[in-house]
Each structure stands twice: as C-alpha cells, then as structure tokens.
Amino acid sequence: MESALSIVYREPELEDAKKIVDFYNFVGGETTFLSFEKDEYPMDEAGQKEDILSTKEQPASIMILAMDGDEIAGIGTIHSGNKIKARHQGELGIVVAKKYQAKGIGSEIIRQLIDFCKGNGITTRIQLDTRCDNEVAVKLYERFGFKIEGQLKNTTLINGEYFDLYVMGLML
Ligand SMILES: CC(C)(COP(=O)(O)OP(=O)(O)OC[C@H]1O[C@@H](n2cnc3c(N)ncnc32)[C@H](O)[C@@H]1OP(=O)(O)O)[C@@H](O)C(=O)NCCC(=O)NCCS
C-alpha cells in the first residue's frame, strides 16, 4: 500500500545548498518548461550558499523547499531587487519534481509564497513568466488570481520550434 506523503515546507539552510543545485540540475532534464536544461542550472554549491544567505538578508525574497524526508520534492522562490522603485515587485519561480507532481505540493508552495509576500510589508506585485503552452502552470497561477498581462513572441527555441511566453501578474 502506498503511504501518504508527509511534506515539510521550510526555508533552506546552508547545508541544503548541494541538494538544491542537484535538484535543479535534475529537474532541468525532466521538463522543457524551465529556462534551463539538465545540468544547466547557473549556480554551483558555493554560489547557492551565497544565494541562501543573501535571500535571508533580503526582506522581500524567500526560497521555500518542499521536503519529503531528506529529499527535495519541490522549490518555490520569490526574488526581489533592492532598488527603491522596483523592490515592491517579486519574481516567482516554482518547480516540483515529476514524481511529486499533481499531489498538491505546487499549490501549497504558491499559497505560502503569496502569504509571505502579503506579510513582508514591501511586496505589492508578484510577477512571473511561463510558456503559453504550459497549461497546468497557467491554470494553477490563474486559480491564485494571476492575470495574463502580455505575450512575448518566440522567446524560447527548442529543436527549431519557437514558443511564446506569458507575463503574468498578481496585485496584492
Ligand atoms: C507547474 C507545477 C509547479 C505544478 O506543481 P504540482 O505540484 O503538480 O501542482 P498541484 O499538485 O498543486 O496541482 C495543481 C493543478 O495542476 C494539475 N496538474 C498537476 N500536474 C498535472 C499534470 N501532469 N497533468 C494535468 N494536470 C496536472 C492538478 O491536478 C491541479 O489541478 P486541480 O487543482 O484542478 O486539481 C509542476 O507541474 C511543475 O513543476 N512543472 C514543471 C516546471 C514548471 O512548469 N514550472 C513552472 C514554470 S513557469
């Protein structure tokens, strides 16, 4: 009998850095919907450690890990800049590993990211982009109130085929 999943949602510690890099490099090969391919994640362990530290110091940025025991099932992020004119805007990123998809983990991560943004006293707009043909993601974002604000043409090129990107936004 399959046992029920018990996922713990938490922010990363420095010791999680390698696991995070390995996770992103792995899921990059599971889906074409991320901006990077397998082993194309742009940070190494040292860079990820710096990112964990700088994210903790940035009051409008967060990373949330969905942990199945010691294994990362999914990661969600809000990145905000420090510039006075733009720091109210958080950029959302999310990925759930294939074997953990369709179990409610992505929805819970987004719910927690939005809660964080509502509570940090800075963020008033969350922005993300997603391929227009990523129907699961677009539907999920719309369920949380995100609206399609624009469509960028031919932003992604895969095996000679171009794909468009939606820019989506949620005002808090
Ligand atoms: C988009 C993503 C984060 C959703 O995560 P998830 O954990 O599967 O999300 P949930 O389990 O909360 O499911 C959300 C909805 O999507 C549906 N769904 C999830 N995976 C699905 C699939 N493979 N096929 C059809 N529907 C699916 C669920 O049924 C659910 O719909 P419901 O609420 O109407 O029942 C995940 O599919 C993913 O990481 N995809 C690859 C990377 C990606 O696209 N990231 C976003 C880039 S912008």
Side-chain angles (χ1 to χ4, degrees), residues 66-82:
M67 300 296 302
D68 177 19
D70 284 341
E71 187 174 349
I72 298 178
I75 303 182
T77 52
I78 295 284
H79 278 119
S80 305
N82 285 318

Side-chain angles (χ1 to χ4, degrees), residues 31 33-34 94-97 100-108 128-131 134 136-137 140-141 143:
T31 173
F33 289 131
L34 294 174
I94 185 168
V95 58
V96 173
Y100 289 105
Q101 288 177 10
K103 298 176 190 299
I105 296 172
S107 300
E108 179 57 20
L128 58 85
D129 51 46
T130 182
R131 268 201 4 230
N134 192 352
V136 168
L140 177 60
Y141 299 139
R143 194 147 44 76

